[in-house]
């Protein structure tokens, strides 16, 4: 008999947590588990793929607990979980973890998992105040790196025995360390030009400002090189970054590609992948770049030092330091053979430590331990 498991998430927009959910739905053993996805908004680029897994999707319908409508939505969700005999409720992020804890109060036998993917406390005061409460209610708190678990473990409401580390994973088979068709290049990049790529949403926390500021120094030595920014953005963030690019005087060497569905094809075309984030839990881009055989220059924040072996699979630099970013990038562009060796080493390391199979196996073992009444 299959065990019903439910996931609680805000939407299906393209992001790390959403991609992890998709892989779990695709790869966990369907003969062992039955899947339900509770959501706030039925929208996002990953929605068709989530629907394609065959999981049952159920609207949460909760936007506030201070209204009669919100209270009724909680009751309806509890009734849904009871009707389907759901045994485990896996919340993603602050929103998902909080509402998972609220819903589970009415179902004492339901096991609750809180998933944390950043070492930084929520920006909103209300969310920070709620965290100790939902931490206490959770049976397990999953973090995707040592850095995340260390940060979470220092907060109120957390018992050490609840903490479990499960690294994000990448499907290395979807990446190739060398482009199959070099002529099919990156839009806006001249053939033969060196490429430094940044993949991720254009949000201030991702540090794009600092690599844009670093680019004039790189362009001084490699005039034909291009900085390629791949990822979705809010209009205000895009306009701000484009204005900063113009101020550098090198806007013609900075390419804004927007959101793309072919990142596995684009990564092998980049000479260096940069991750200038101000904070990270465990960067999917770092391990995706490694799977593609690309060297990475990343900031020394969060889980980046866990994913990168300094000087062997990539280079680490301080956050908010354009000069250090430029120096590390120049050292790799100036020594392509070193970059190639780093990329090969990164690919080997990803294949042994950070595969999607290992991530899925971690959740499978966690679910079984909760169902068996053992400590995770």
């Amino acid at each position: 008999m299959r065990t019903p498991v439910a996931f609680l998430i805000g939407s299906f927009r393209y992001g790390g947590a959403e991609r992890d959910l998709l892989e779990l739905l695709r790869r966990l053993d369907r003969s062992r588990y039955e899947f339900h996805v509770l959501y706030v908004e039925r929208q996002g680029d990953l929605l068709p793929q989530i629907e394609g897994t065959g999981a049952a999707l159920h609207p949460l319908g909760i936007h506030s607990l201070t209204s009669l409508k919100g209270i009724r939505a909680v009751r309806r969700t509890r009734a849904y979980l009871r009707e389907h005999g759901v045994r485990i409720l896996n919340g993603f992020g602050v929103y998902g973890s909080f509402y998972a804890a609220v819903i589970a109060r009415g179902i004492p036998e339901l096991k609750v998992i809180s998933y944390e993917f950043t070492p930084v406390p929520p920006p909103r005061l209300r969310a920070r105040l709620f965290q100790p409460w939902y931490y206490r209610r959770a049976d397990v708190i999953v973090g995707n790196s040592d850095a995340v678990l260390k940060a979470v473990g220092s907060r109120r409401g957390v018992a050490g025995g609840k903490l479990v580390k499960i690294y994000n994973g990448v499907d290395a088979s979807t990446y190739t360390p060398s482009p199959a068709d070099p002529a099919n290049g990156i839009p806006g990049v001249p053939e033969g030009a060196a490429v430094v790529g940044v993949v991720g949403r254009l949000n201030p926390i991702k540090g794009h400002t600092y690599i844009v500021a670093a680019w004039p120094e790189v362009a001084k030595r490699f005039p034909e090189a291009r900085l390629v920014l791949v990822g979705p953005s809010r209009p205000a963030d895009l306009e701000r970054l484009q204005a900063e690019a113009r101020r550098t005087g090198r806007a013609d060497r900075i390419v804004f590609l927007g959101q793309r569905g072919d990142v596995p094809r684009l990564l092998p075309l980049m000479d260096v992948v940069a991750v200038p984030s101000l904070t990270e839990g465990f960067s999917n881009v770092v391990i995706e770049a490694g799977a593609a055989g690309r060297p990475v220059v990343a900031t020394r924040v969060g889980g980046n030092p866990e994913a990168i072996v300094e000087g062997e699979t990539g280079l680490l630099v301080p956050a908010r330091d354009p000069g250090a970013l430029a120096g590390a990038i120049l050292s790799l562009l100036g020594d392509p053979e070193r970059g190639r060796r780093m990329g090969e080493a990164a690919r080997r390391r990803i294949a042994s430590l950070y595969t999607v199979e290992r991530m899925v196996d971690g959740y499978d073992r966690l679910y079984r331990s909760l169902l068996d009444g053992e400590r995770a």
Side-chain angles (χ1 to χ4, degrees):
M1 184 175 178
R2 295 190 300 167
T3 299
V5 175
F7 303 92
L8 202 163
I9 199 159
S11 72
F12 305 107
R13 296 184 179 90
Y14 194 82
E18 292 80 5
R19 283 181 288 169
D20 289 347
L21 170 60
L22 177 60
E23 293 295 354
L24 291 175
L25 294 173
R26 282 174 167 171
R27 296 171 183 270
L28 281 166
D29 187 351
R30 287 302 181 94
S31 68
R32 176 175 290 159
Y33 302 110
E34 169 191 309
F35 300 120
H36 301 260
V37 180
L38 312 179
Y39 62 88
V40 180
E41 298 177 322
R42 192 173 181 133
Q43 59 179 295
D45 297 311
L46 292 180
L47 176 59
Q49 296 177 66
I50 296 286
E51 291 174 328
T53 66
L57 271 61
H58 180 76
L60 193 60
I62 305 173
H63 295 278
S64 171
L65 295 178
T66 59
S67 66
L68 184 59
K69 184 179 179 181
I71 294 171
R72 287 173 176 167
V74 170
R75 289 175 178 169
R76 283 196 303 271
T77 303
R78 287 173 180 162
Y80 176 88
L81 296 180
R82 289 194 189 98
E83 176 189 352
H84 292 278
V86 172
R87 300 282 306 280
I88 294 173
L89 180 55
N90 197 154
F92 286 85
V94 173
Y95 188 99
S97 297
F98 171 71
Y99 279 108
V102 170
I103 292 163
R105 288 193 70 185
I107 314 175
E109 67 276 13
L110 185 63
K111 300 296 184 182
V112 177
I113 298 171
S114 170
Y115 172 56
E116 295 285 354
F117 45 80
T118 175
V120 179
R124 295 183 180 179
L125 176 61
R126 184 170 63 175
R128 292 198 298 272
L129 294 175
F130 284 152
Q131 267 190 330
W133 180 81
Y134 70 69
Y135 282 157
R136 283 192 293 268
R137 178 61 188 86
D139 293 280
V140 171
I141 302 169
V142 172
N144 60 2
S145 68
D146 288 328
V148 169
L149 291 186
K150 181 178 179 181
V152 171
S154 68
R155 297 171 190 163
R156 290 189 301 118
V158 179
K162 289 186 175 184
L163 299 176
V164 174
K165 180 177 67 178
I166 302 178
Y167 282 122
N168 299 351
V170 63
D171 182 358
S173 69
T174 64
Y175 298 84
T176 175
S178 59
D181 181 9
N184 186 17
I186 300 175
V189 176
E191 187 176 349
V195 175
V196 176
V198 183
V199 179
R201 69 187 191 279
L202 273 60
N203 182 287
I205 202 70
K206 294 299 183 180
H208 292 84
T209 295
Y210 299 95
I211 196 161
V212 167
W215 198 246
E217 189 66 23
V218 177
K220 189 186 304 181
R221 185 170 163 192
F222 293 94
E224 296 306 311
R226 295 295 191 272
L227 173 62
V228 177
L229 308 182
V230 183
S233 63
R234 296 177 299 185
D237 290 331
L238 177 59
E239 291 170 10
R240 175 183 54 80
L241 267 180
Q242 288 175 331
E244 290 175 5
R246 289 191 294 271
R247 281 194 291 271
T248 68
R250 299 289 185 170
D252 60 334
R253 298 295 189 266
I254 301 175
V255 179
F256 291 83
L257 276 191
Q259 184 162 334
R260 302 279 299 201
D262 59 347
V263 169
R265 182 189 74 83
L266 295 175
L267 280 172
L269 298 170
M270 299 173 181
D271 297 276
V272 177
V273 176
V275 182
S277 305
L278 309 187
T279 182
E280 285 285 353
F282 191 79
S283 171
N284 280 325
V285 175
V286 168
I287 58 176
E288 288 169 356
R294 301 294 91 189
V296 176
V297 171
T299 47
R300 192 178 283 106
V301 299
N304 286 348
E306 297 172 53
I308 296 169
V309 179
E310 169 71 13
E312 182 179 325
T313 66
L315 300 175
L316 294 166
V317 300
R320 297 182 172 87
D321 190 335
L325 273 170
I329 291 167
L330 285 169
S331 72
L332 292 177
L333 292 183
D335 189 349
E337 178 58 24
R338 184 187 185 204
R340 185 192 63 77
R341 290 196 305 269
M342 282 188 174
E344 290 179 353
R347 185 168 170 82
R348 289 193 298 270
R349 190 163 190 266
I350 299 308
S352 65
L353 296 178
Y354 305 125
T355 64
V356 69
E357 291 82 7
R358 284 177 69 101
M359 179 187 78
V360 171
D361 180 64
Y363 277 97
D364 180 44
R365 287 186 287 111
L366 172 58
Y367 294 164
R368 281 187 285 162
S369 72
L370 288 173
L371 294 169
D372 293 341
E374 303 171 1
R375 283 188 64 169

